[in-house]
Amino acid sequence: MQDLRTIGQKAKAAARQMRLADAQAKNEALEEMAQAIEAKAAQIIEANQEDLAKGQEAGLTEALLERLTLTPDRIQGMANGLRQMASLPDPLLVTDKEWINRDGLRISRRRVPLGVIGIIYESRPNVTVDAAGLTLKAGNSTILRGGKEALTSNQTIVAILQDALAETQLPREAVQLITNPSRKLASQFMQMNDYVDCLIPRGSAGLIQAVLKQATVPVIETGEGNCHLYIHEAADFDKALKILINGKTQRPSVCNALENLIIDEQVASDYLPKFVDALAAHNVEVVGDHKACSIDRRIALAQEEDFAQEFLDLKLAVKITSSYAEAVEHIEAYSTGHSDAIITENYQVAQDFMNDIDSAAVYVNASTRFTDGEVFGFGGEIGISTQKLHARGPMGLEALTSYKYTIQGDGQIRS
Amino acid sequence: MQDLRTIGQKAKAAARQMRLADAQAKNEALEEMAQAIEAKAAQIIEANQEDLAKGQEAGLTEALLERLTLTPDRIQGMANGLRQMASLPDPLLVTDKEWINRDGLRISRRRVPLGVIGIIYESRPNVTVDAAGLTLKAGNSTILRGGKEALTSNQTIVAILQDALAETQLPREAVQLITNPSRKLASQFMQMNDYVDCLIPRGSAGLIQAVLKQATVPVIETGEGNCHLYIHEAADFDKALKILINGKTQRPSVCNALENLIIDEQVASDYLPKFVDALAAHNVEVVGDHKACSIDRRIALAQEEDFAQEFLDLKLAVKITSSYAEAVEHIEAYSTGHSDAIITENYQVAQDFMNDIDSAAVYVNASTRFTDGEVFGFGGEIGISTQKLHARGPMGLEALTSYKYTIQGDGQIRS
């Protein structure tokens, strides 16, 4: 039986070593980890088969089993991901700013790691490698707490990563896994303020809410995306159609997929039927307000909650608006602050939209599907934050760091 | 009886207006608030007398009554503080960075307000004005929850601020006060995730722990300072003495005051007695480890907990170390990560110390008393963060902001 306190102490000791590790040592460790994953792919597949067999017995849904499954391709993807991280600039080689204050003190704000990061996640075992790699690259140690469905896969992967780390200058305990699936233990983990600097839950809304409720350790909330596409009266039809179909159908199950369509009534009777044609060709179910239904009979009347909900499926809610102000108000009322877009050729309206909408990512004439750390150019992401504290939107390596001030004087005292 | 939900809704509506307020409108409002405070100083004094009378009846300590007291000078200080905030650069007129990604999207990271900030504090009524002014300058709305001892003072001050705001373009509800002293209500306030973006507790360790325990809203922890001064063997004696006395005696009750002195044994028998002389002249009680006691008989033997404790008083714990590594280890074991300093003339040791010590502020040859937003040049501070998430060390206006991404395209979709 694992002792959480021991895990915490080891993580803290490892964090101390990690904090002082140089960029090269970390990159070599990532390469070592990548090679180990490749060399032991068969062992990972075997462990994964065990989890899959148990999952089938336990009656997991097809979708869950799919997420749980590791194939040789997916394992290669994990190794490639680690090498990609090694190639990224080190986020700690940065001084944000430096100045001299009125007392003649030289004050520098330097990037430092967060310390010990706890990651709480669900069934995807690739998160294990991804999270371990990113947190390590940013100079942290990690305590992972995965879902019990993936326990054997995760144990195998973490053992491989730890053995690889043992071959490097970095501490083996830079990556640890909580193997006891007890919820009580998980809850204790979320309150280990003496050992854990930050918790990042990755998974369903239920998981995230549970962590927020129980944690006393600071949490970075990665949340739901009830994303809107607003077709302004000055929209270009071709861009609108293309971006609508991309946002709704390219990968409907993810948080940056579109859930809501807003159309200015000036263009609605012209555009909406063509949109519904295209959506129907992609098997998207469309619901809408009274005005939308009256424009196109194929649209079913939406319930109030349809506008507030993340369908994560081939379903879309349509609202017809009579002004820009009404559209902004609707987005403010229903958006979860993840990603919202406008299609317009009007310069001033585009500027206003970027100011008015208070979401992590605000788009003009582009698909909300771009909200992603890799696409943004961060080289990867640990999640997409929907809170405003610390980090917002796609979180790359910088979100896994903090800063400290160094103050250099020559004998100054405060008067 | 106040309804928390109503307060939350009003704060959120006000935050929406505040978000779009321009720099000039905010600065004019701060000036309006300053004038109102000046004009109604007598009314504030009267309300404060009421609180003081109740406090005396209730048997508050002299120290608490002192903190609660508002004098004409202190009230003028509050007004001056607001004018000082008006003169600061607006933290929202900033784009942190902008780049074009591989898809040709122009991605900007722009500063935006946090939204609704909750401030939970204890008996100092000047915090009311200070917190309201800083959060407003950063484009937020605020819900204040002060201590019940200062309730009449706080109510009077907030009413004056709201009346002043009513004369401006900004919403009256940009500043609100929870007047019901119920703890249950305070606890509900800490869980209003739908309305509050961030909580900042200001006050005793007990208050902060209570907020961390109960809150589901993200908290910025402002914490204890168990600050160390390490006299390295290559220290300049004069600098060491001056900085020691400043750190320990200039204002012993604050979080950046010194609590611990570490001396390398190579210089301890020479320096320590002279330090104790000077400390004695300032009525500082000195406790220390066995080595310290054997060097100077005036030093009483320290208990283990003396090294871990924030005395916040004229008391100091001394530890004698036989190496740099031992000193760093001691600091790592006992520091609360607030402010720690080294005195040395050795270049390499100074560099190492700044790397090795994981505290918010790490000093070389300067007093820890400088850890302060005003002194750092931020124009003011909302507190000193001892957590690593979001903001660390003295928090100025930037700590009261978040960011959002705007993404400008010309029809891009994700493939």
Side-chain angles (χ1 to χ4, degrees):
Chain A
M1 163 98 173
Q2 281 182 309
D3 174 26
L4 263 190
R5 223 180 118 89
T6 307
I7 294 180
Q9 284 164 341
K10 284 183 183 169
K12 207 165 175 175
R16 231 169 268 143
Q17 279 181 265
M18 285 299 301
R19 183 154 55 80
L20 300 171
D22 64 23
Q24 202 189 329
K26 290 183 288 184
N27 293 339
E28 284 169 7
L30 288 166
E31 174 59 33
E32 194 78 39
M33 287 156 69
Q35 285 178 18
I37 293 284
E38 285 172 339
K40 299 190 176 159
Q43 196 181 321
I44 298 173
I45 297 273
E46 202 177 309
N48 189 243
Q49 294 294 341
E50 220 176 282
D51 282 332
L52 285 170
K54 275 190 213 142
Q56 264 155 343
E57 248 173 68
L60 293 190
T61 64
E62 274 309 308
L64 272 176
L65 288 170
E66 204 281 322
R67 276 192 231 168
L68 185 54
T69 304
L70 288 176
T71 62
D73 265 9
R74 284 184 179 181
I75 291 173
Q76 189 58 53
M78 284 156 40
N80 295 348
L82 291 169
R83 290 205 175 93
Q84 154 80 356
M85 292 169 203
S87 74
L88 294 174
D90 192 295
L92 303 181
L93 304 178
V94 173
T95 291
D96 296 333
K97 36 191 158 185
E98 180 170 290
W99 69 98
I100 293 175
N101 87 336
R102 64 183 181 213
D103 304 288
L105 296 167
R106 179 172 293 275
I107 304 177
S108 306
R109 197 174 108 169
R110 300 185 185 183
R111 282 282 137 196
V112 297
L114 282 171
V116 178
I117 298 180
I119 313 264
I120 299 175
Y121 56 109
E122 287 172 332
S123 57
R124 285 181 202 274
N126 59 317
V127 172
T128 308
V129 174
D130 208 43
L134 279 169
T135 50
L136 180 143
K137 172 81 185 190
N140 302 285
S141 78
T142 318
I143 303 174
L144 301 162
R145 203 270 182 191
K148 67 171 189 307
E149 316 77 33
L151 187 58
T152 312
S153 309
N154 289 338
Q155 274 183 305
T156 305
I157 292 169
V158 169
I160 291 169
L161 296 179
Q162 289 184 327
D163 288 349
L165 281 168
E167 301 296 311
T168 72
Q169 298 169 50
L170 301 188
R172 187 187 177 88
E173 283 84 13
V175 181
Q176 294 182 89
L177 180 72
I178 296 177
T179 54
N180 185 326
S182 139
R183 285 192 176 211
K184 203 179 140 210
L185 205 82
S187 170
Q188 284 168 15
F189 174 46
M190 299 176 207
Q191 302 183 356
M192 292 217 296
N193 293 57
D194 286 346
Y195 300 112
V196 185
D197 293 286
C198 150
L199 288 177
I200 306 177
R202 285 181 62 169
S204 66
L207 172 83
I208 290 158
Q209 285 310 312
V211 174
L212 284 176
K213 275 243 163 67
Q214 296 171 64
T216 54
V217 171
V219 176
I220 301 179
E221 188 177 347
T222 58
E224 293 172 87
N226 189 28
C227 303
H228 294 75
L229 178 68
Y230 167 38
I231 314 296
H232 178 251
E233 57 168 310
D236 175 280
F237 174 78
D238 292 336
K239 289 177 190 164
L241 178 63
K242 195 167 72 160
I243 288 168
L244 167 64
I245 297 302
N246 185 251
K248 183 66 257 178
T249 70
Q250 197 231 1
R251 208 170 158 204
S253 65
V254 293
C255 59
N256 58 19
L258 275 188
E259 308 292 3
N260 287 279
L261 175 68
I262 303 168
I263 314 184
D264 271 345
E265 61 184 359
Q266 291 90 334
V267 293
S269 49
D270 181 10
Y271 290 3
L272 187 53
K274 295 171 190 161
F275 290 160
V276 176
D277 288 346
L279 289 163
H282 284 88
N283 300 312
V284 177
E285 179 193 348
V286 183
V287 298
D289 63 5
H290 283 288
K291 286 184 187 171
C293 295
S294 74
I295 292 171
D296 194 313
R297 287 190 316 156
R298 291 169 294 179
I299 298 175
L301 188 64
Q303 304 302 307
E304 171 69 18
E305 57 266 32
D306 286 327
F307 292 106
Q309 200 187 334
E310 217 187 351
F311 300 121
L312 297 173
D313 205 345
L314 291 172
K315 186 172 177 184
L316 180 78
V318 183
K319 158 99 184 161
I320 310 291
T321 45
S322 53
S323 69
Y324 169 81
E326 193 188 348
V328 168
E329 212 172 285
H330 182 84
I331 295 175
E332 258 177 8
Y334 294 102
S335 171
T336 53
H338 190 296
S339 301
D340 297 294
I342 190 172
I343 309 295
T344 188
E345 297 299 312
N346 181 308
Y347 168 81
Q348 193 54 51
V349 167
Q351 299 297 329
D352 288 348
F353 191 80
M354 289 188 283
N355 284 326
D356 290 341
I357 298 299
D358 185 28
S359 297
V362 185
Y363 289 84
V364 178
N365 294 346
S367 173
T368 57
R369 286 280 296 114
F370 286 114
T371 303
D372 176 290
E374 222 272 313
V375 171
F376 268 34
F378 302 160
E381 72 172 32
I382 195 79
I384 295 173
S385 163
T386 48
Q387 73 180 27
K388 289 185 182 166
L389 227 54
H390 187 65
R392 202 174 183 207
M395 295 187 290
L397 290 171
E398 193 190 305
L400 299 173
T401 68
S402 177
Y403 55 80
K404 72 176 169 191
Y405 292 101
T406 60
I407 302 100
Q408 297 178 261
D410 50 14
Q412 283 89 339
I413 57 171
R414 187 157 174 193
S415 51
Chain B
M1 165 97 176
Q2 280 182 308
D3 173 27
L4 263 190
R5 223 181 120 88
T6 308
I7 293 180
Q9 284 164 341
K10 284 183 182 170
K12 207 164 177 179
R16 231 170 270 143
Q17 278 182 266
M18 285 299 301
R19 183 154 55 80
L20 300 171
D22 63 23
Q24 200 189 334
K26 290 184 288 184
N27 293 340
E28 283 170 7
L30 288 166
E31 174 60 34
E32 194 77 40
M33 287 156 70
Q35 286 178 17
I37 293 284
E38 286 172 340
K40 299 190 175 160
Q43 196 181 322
I44 297 174
I45 296 273
E46 202 178 308
N48 188 243
Q49 293 294 339
E50 220 177 282
D51 281 332
L52 285 169
K54 276 191 214 143
Q56 263 155 345
E57 247 173 69
L60 292 191
T61 64
E62 274 309 306
L64 272 177
L65 288 170
E66 203 282 321
R67 274 193 234 168
L68 184 54
T69 304
L70 288 175
T71 62
D73 265 10
R74 284 185 180 179
I75 291 172
Q76 187 58 52
M78 284 157 37
N80 295 347
L82 291 169
R83 290 204 176 93
Q84 154 81 356
M85 292 168 203
S87 73
L88 294 174
D90 193 293
L92 303 181
L93 303 179
V94 173
T95 291
D96 295 335
K97 35 192 159 186
E98 180 171 291
W99 69 99
I100 292 175
N101 88 337
R102 64 182 181 213
D103 304 288
L105 295 168
R106 179 172 294 274
I107 304 178
S108 306
R109 196 174 108 168
R110 301 186 185 182
R111 283 280 137 197
V112 296
L114 281 170
V116 178
I117 299 180
I119 315 264
I120 299 175
Y121 56 108
E122 288 171 331
S123 57
R124 285 181 203 273
N126 59 316
V127 171
T128 308
V129 174
D130 209 43
L134 280 168
T135 49
L136 178 142
K137 172 80 185 189
N140 303 284
S141 78
T142 319
I143 303 174
L144 302 162
R145 202 273 183 190
K148 69 172 188 305
E149 316 78 32
L151 187 58
T152 312
S153 309
N154 289 338
Q155 275 183 304
T156 305
I157 292 168
V158 169
I160 291 169
L161 296 179
Q162 289 184 327
D163 288 349
L165 282 168
E167 301 296 311
T168 73
Q169 297 170 50
L170 303 187
R172 187 187 178 88
E173 283 83 14
V175 181
Q176 293 182 90
L177 179 72
I178 296 177
T179 55
N180 184 328
S182 140
R183 287 191 174 210
K184 203 179 142 213
L185 204 82
S187 169
Q188 284 168 14
F189 174 44
M190 299 176 207
Q191 301 183 358
M192 293 217 295
N193 293 55
D194 285 346
Y195 300 110
V196 185
D197 292 288
C198 149
L199 287 177
I200 307 178
R202 286 181 62 169
S204 66
L207 172 83
I208 290 158
Q209 285 311 312
V211 173
L212 284 175
K213 275 242 164 68
Q214 296 170 65
T216 52
V217 171
V219 176
I220 301 179
E221 188 177 347
T222 59
E224 293 173 88
N226 189 28
C227 303
H228 294 76
L229 179 68
Y230 167 38
I231 314 296
H232 178 252
E233 57 167 309
D236 175 281
F237 174 77
D238 292 335
K239 288 178 192 164
L241 178 63
K242 197 168 68 159
I243 288 168
L244 167 63
I245 297 302
N246 186 251
K248 184 65 256 180
T249 71
Q250 197 231 1
R251 209 171 157 202
S253 66
V254 292
C255 59
N256 58 18
L258 275 187
E259 307 293 1
N260 287 279
L261 174 68
I262 303 169
I263 313 184
D264 272 346
E265 61 184 359
Q266 292 90 333
V267 293
S269 49
D270 181 10
Y271 290 2
L272 187 53
K274 294 171 191 160
F275 290 159
V276 176
D277 289 347
L279 289 163
H282 284 87
N283 300 312
V284 177
E285 178 193 349
V286 183
V287 296
D289 63 5
H290 283 288
K291 286 184 188 172
C293 294
S294 73
I295 291 172
D296 193 313
R297 287 191 315 158
R298 291 170 294 179
I299 298 175
L301 187 64
Q303 305 301 308
E304 171 69 18
E305 57 267 30
D306 286 328
F307 292 106
Q309 201 186 332
E310 218 189 350
F311 300 121
L312 298 174
D313 204 346
L314 291 172
K315 186 173 177 183
L316 181 78
V318 183
K319 159 97 184 162
I320 310 291
T321 45
S322 53
S323 68
Y324 169 81
E326 194 188 346
V328 168
E329 211 171 284
H330 183 84
I331 294 174
E332 258 178 7
Y334 293 103
S335 171
T336 52
H338 190 293
S339 301
D340 297 293
I342 190 172
I343 309 295
T344 189
E345 296 300 312
N346 182 307
Y347 168 81
Q348 192 53 51
V349 168
Q351 300 296 330
D352 289 349
F353 191 79
M354 288 188 284
N355 285 326
D356 291 341
I357 298 300
D358 185 29
S359 297
V362 185
Y363 288 84
V364 178
N365 293 346
S367 172
T368 57
R369 286 280 295 114
F370 286 113
T371 303
D372 177 288
E374 221 274 312
V375 171
F376 268 34
F378 301 161
E381 71 172 33
I382 194 79
I384 295 173
S385 163
T386 50
Q387 73 179 27
K388 289 183 181 166
L389 226 56
H390 186 65
R392 201 173 183 208
M395 294 187 288
L397 290 171
E398 194 190 304
L400 298 173
T401 67
S402 177
Y403 55 80
K404 73 175 170 193
Y405 292 101
T406 60
I407 303 99
Q408 297 178 261
D410 50 13
Q412 284 89 339
I413 57 169
R414 188 157 174 193
S415 52

